[in-house]
């Protein structure tokens, strides 16, 4: 299929999600052709699709993610804005953390949009890169090494209608074989790479997992302009109660989601979800849900565990094979890191490719190690917070204990109006500053002053409209497993 010219390198990317298209953009240079295969019939306009079952859930793009995408695709932020994405300063969000409400302040601007819009614009933009094509309705079903005189890899892809094998499809049917010098697995959480590697005789990678059993249930609401009284609402879920988020999107609709862990996962039906929101740690989300007409088709999602494959530690990693995005390392989405890490993967591969071609001997192992390294900080952030959410004992490593206590102190200062402490945490959360920045001497000095003078009054609950909530039936709150 689609043989490239002699001497021209051909890259096959498995999956046209966000990691796949950004990696295609990063690797498309020097006359390479890049083919992105996706199992879905890809829509020509922003629309949810089956291959991305999380597509109707809120997708917050962290500040670091937007910067990384801009580095790969200059001007993309303007394109997103022009398509209607809503610019919001995170300091304008009504934000209820573990310790209380955050103060209103100037923090970092983010762009709020639906996942289908973000993915659509990225795909359209990447298609303008020379040598890149995206082919839909191709489910990759196997990976083979090429024989002598053949390309390095063959990627087997089943077109639409080809089901479980030649016998089922008819004697002459066979999947298409795409030749590749470099294969990139960007097929997300559903990646079948472990199975394909086993068939190739590659030693299995260790898998690290921590699942706090977080569930999402989302509806859409159309409040009148100014009908919420806040730029958006975030209520972090806790061990003892549910939370969620309500954010505007480019469509004029807001997504309102119940988000909770374990016994506090939101139910799947609308009356249950309304009751859940009203009974969450704060009823601000129920107020947004009541602020306008509601599309009551509840979209739920529960595949949210943290999982990373340690391909970076597999001895004798095959040349010409890369793994990015959720296929390499998937996070509990509550922390909004997945897209950002996918964009950072693409940037890291572009840099690694510039240092020495990823198609060369050892190049892919270097690329996999670079991606694994950059996932380390977000992984530590997500899993240490999720240990608490899952009711697991906290790490006893002295540095983790110190960091946990210090974060709790900064949160406490923030919820008593200290916007410098708030900014420090926000920059770490948005991945624009390293975790070590929280130990800056200026913050320690502020904390000492606060201890001496007192914390001051807590930040009051920000107003979220409407003032009066409609009656909700309390049945079905929590549970929902
Ligand atoms: C409920 C929920 C909420 C989330 N919210 C956020 C958020 O707020 N912020 C954030 O940054 N991230 C969020 N994420 C994570 C985010 O969706 C992903 O991390 C991000 O999209 C990167 O994923 P990916 O491109 O690796 O995989 P995906 O987006 O899952 O894309 C995988 C692609 O591969 C295709 N595919 C799969 N198998 C095959 C195959 N065999 N052959 C061909 N194609 C195949 C699929 O069709 C799909 O297009 C959320 C995730 C969930 C579950």
């Amino acid at each position: 299929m689609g043989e490239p010219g002699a001497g021209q390198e051909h890259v096959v990317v498995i999956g046209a999600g966000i990691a796949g298209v950004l990696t295609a953009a990063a690797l498309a240079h020097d006359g390479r052709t890049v083919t992105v295969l996706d199992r879905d019939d890809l829509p020509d306009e922003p629309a949810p699709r089956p291959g991305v079952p999380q597509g109707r859930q809120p997708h917050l793009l962290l500040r670091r993610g937007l910067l990384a995408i801009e580095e790969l695709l200059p001007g993309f932020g303007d394109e997103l804005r022009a398509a209607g994405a809503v610019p919001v300063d995170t300091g304008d969000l009504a934000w209820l953390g573990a310790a209380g409400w955050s103060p209103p302040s100037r923090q970092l601007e983010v762009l709020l949009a639906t996942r289908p819009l973000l993915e659509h614009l990225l795909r359209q933009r990447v298609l303008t890169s020379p040598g890149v094509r995206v082919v839909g309705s191709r489910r990759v079903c196997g990976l083979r090494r090429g024989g002598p005189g053949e390309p390095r890899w063959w990627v087997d892809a089943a077109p639409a209608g080809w089901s479980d094998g030649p016998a089922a499809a008819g004697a002459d049917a066979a999947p298409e074989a795409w030749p590749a010098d470099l294969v990139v697995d960007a097929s997300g959480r559903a990646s079948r790479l472990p199975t394909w590697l086993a068939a190739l005789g590659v030693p299995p990678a260790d898998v690290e997992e921590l699942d706090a059993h977080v569930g999402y249930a989302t509806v859409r609401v159309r409040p009148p302009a100014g009908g919420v009284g806040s730029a958006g609402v975030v209520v972090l879920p806790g061990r003892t109660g549910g939370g969620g988020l309500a954010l505007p999107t480019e469509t004029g609709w807001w997504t309102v989601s119940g988000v909770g862990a374990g016994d506090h996962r939101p139910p799947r039906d609308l009356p249950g979800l309304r009751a859940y929101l009203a009974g969450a740690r704060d009823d601000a989300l129920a107020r947004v849900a009541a602020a306008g007409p509601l599309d009551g088709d509840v979209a739920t999602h529960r595949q949210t565990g943290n999982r990373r494959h340690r391909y970076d530690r597999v001895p004798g990693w095959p040349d010409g094979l890369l793994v990015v995005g959720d296929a390499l390392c998937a996070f509990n989405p509550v922390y909004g890191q997945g897209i950002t890490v996918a964009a950072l993967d693409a940037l890291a591969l572009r840099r690694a490719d510039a240092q020495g071609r990823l198609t060369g001997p050892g190049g892919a192992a270097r690329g996999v190690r670079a991606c694994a390294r950059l996932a380390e900080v977000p992984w530590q952030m997500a899993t240490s917070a999720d240990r608490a959410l899952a009711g697991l004992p906290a790490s006893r490593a002295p540095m983790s204990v110190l960091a946990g206590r210090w974060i709790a102190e900064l949160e406490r200062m923030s919820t008593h109006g200290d916007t410098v402490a708030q900014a420090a945490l926000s920059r770490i959360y948005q991945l624009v500053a390293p975790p070590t920045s929280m130990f800056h001497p200026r913050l320690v000095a502020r904390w000492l002053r606060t201890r001496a003078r007192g914390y001051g009054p807590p930040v009051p609950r920000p107003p979220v409209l409407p003032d009066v909530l409609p009656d909700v039936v309390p049945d079905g709150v929590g549970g929902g497993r």
Side-chain angles (χ1 to χ4, degrees):
M1 298 300 304
E3 299 276 356
Q8 197 183 17
E9 287 183 342
H10 187 212
V11 180
V12 171
V13 179
I14 306 169
I18 290 172
V21 294
L22 289 175
T23 305
L27 298 180
H29 54 81
D30 295 340
R32 277 185 186 146
T33 52
V34 181
T35 305
V36 187
L37 303 174
D38 201 281
R39 65 184 178 188
D40 277 353
D41 179 12
L42 296 166
D44 293 330
E45 52 193 34
R49 57 191 180 87
V52 181
Q54 72 273 34
R56 288 173 60 200
Q57 304 302 336
H59 271 68
L60 183 77
L61 175 59
L62 300 182
R63 182 73 195 160
R64 182 72 184 93
L66 180 61
L67 296 176
I69 294 176
E70 283 271 353
E71 213 175 320
L72 286 162
L73 303 169
F76 184 76
D78 289 341
E79 290 173 32
L80 200 52
R81 264 191 206 89
V86 183
V88 162
D89 188 301
T90 55
D92 287 334
L93 297 172
W95 186 290
L96 180 62
W101 292 98
S102 294
S105 60
R106 291 304 95 220
Q107 297 290 337
L108 294 164
E109 188 189 80
V110 292
L111 295 176
L112 302 178
T114 58
R115 155 81 194 223
L117 177 70
L118 182 61
E119 188 187 296
H120 171 77
L121 292 178
L122 286 173
R123 196 163 65 238
Q124 295 307 310
R125 175 67 190 273
V126 167
L127 278 170
T128 64
S129 305
V132 175
R133 63 184 162 178
V134 178
V135 185
S137 302
R138 297 293 186 283
R139 181 174 55 82
V140 172
C141 52
L143 185 61
R144 290 176 288 126
R145 293 183 205 265
E150 291 188 344
R152 182 184 270 152
W153 294 106
W154 292 105
V155 178
D156 292 328
W162 197 90
S163 58
D164 290 312
D172 299 334
E176 299 167 352
W178 294 78
D181 302 292
L182 183 62
V183 176
V184 184
D185 180 17
S187 60
R189 282 181 184 264
S191 167
R192 302 207 45 224
L193 189 60
T195 312
W196 299 336
L197 288 178
L200 291 168
V202 175
D206 289 340
V207 180
E208 296 171 4
E209 283 184 279
L210 199 160
D211 193 348
H213 299 286
V214 168
Y216 277 61
T218 296
V219 287
R220 299 191 313 151
V221 180
R222 200 173 186 109
V228 173
S230 162
V233 180
V234 178
V235 176
L236 289 188
R239 261 310 275 162
T240 53
L245 59 167
L247 298 173
T249 71
E250 76 282 0
T251 59
W253 290 85
W254 285 48
T255 53
V256 180
S257 309
V259 180
D263 290 340
H264 297 286
R265 288 194 291 190
R268 298 170 189 271
D269 63 293
L270 183 58
L273 178 57
R274 276 190 185 280
Y276 177 91
L277 295 174
R281 288 185 59 223
D282 187 276
D283 68 8
L285 298 161
R287 290 175 193 280
V288 183
L294 186 137
D295 170 356
D297 180 12
V298 183
T300 55
H301 197 95
R302 292 182 170 186
Q303 303 298 313
T304 56
N306 302 284
R307 185 170 63 205
R308 65 171 165 176
H309 298 264
R310 300 312 308 252
Y311 296 126
D312 54 312
R313 295 182 178 166
V314 171
W317 181 256
D319 280 338
L321 179 61
L322 293 168
V323 198
V324 292
D326 284 10
L328 178 64
C329 183
F331 305 91
N332 176 355
V334 165
Y335 312 104
Q337 299 168 321
I339 299 171
T340 296
V341 171
L344 293 173
D345 283 347
L347 267 184
L349 292 180
R350 189 172 77 174
R351 286 192 194 119
D353 204 25
Q355 282 159 6
R357 288 181 92 76
L358 289 170
T359 42
R366 200 162 36 85
V368 170
R369 282 198 301 272
C371 293
R373 254 194 318 274
L374 69 83
E376 186 60 32
V377 165
W379 175 266
Q380 293 302 340
M381 284 166 65
T383 54
S384 51
D386 275 4
R387 291 187 75 79
L389 209 50
L392 296 170
S395 162
R396 293 219 190 125
M399 200 50 209
S400 302
V401 174
L402 176 66
R405 287 195 187 145
W406 185 235
I407 288 170
E409 265 309 310
L410 293 177
E411 277 175 357
R412 185 171 172 202
M413 287 159 69
S414 164
T415 57
H416 287 258
D418 188 327
T419 55
V420 174
Q422 179 194 18
L425 290 173
S426 170
R427 290 175 64 76
I428 295 168
Y429 171 71
Q430 298 281 336
L431 299 176
V432 294
T436 47
S437 62
M438 70 181 159
F439 297 112
H440 194 284
R442 194 165 64 116
L443 285 169
V444 178
R446 282 184 88 80
W447 174 71
L448 289 171
R449 260 200 316 275
T450 302
R451 297 290 290 186
R453 295 178 190 165
Y455 287 83
V459 173
R461 178 186 191 279
V464 177
L465 305 172
D467 295 333
V468 180
L469 273 178
D471 283 344
V472 288
V473 187
D475 294 342
V477 178
R481 286 194 128 181

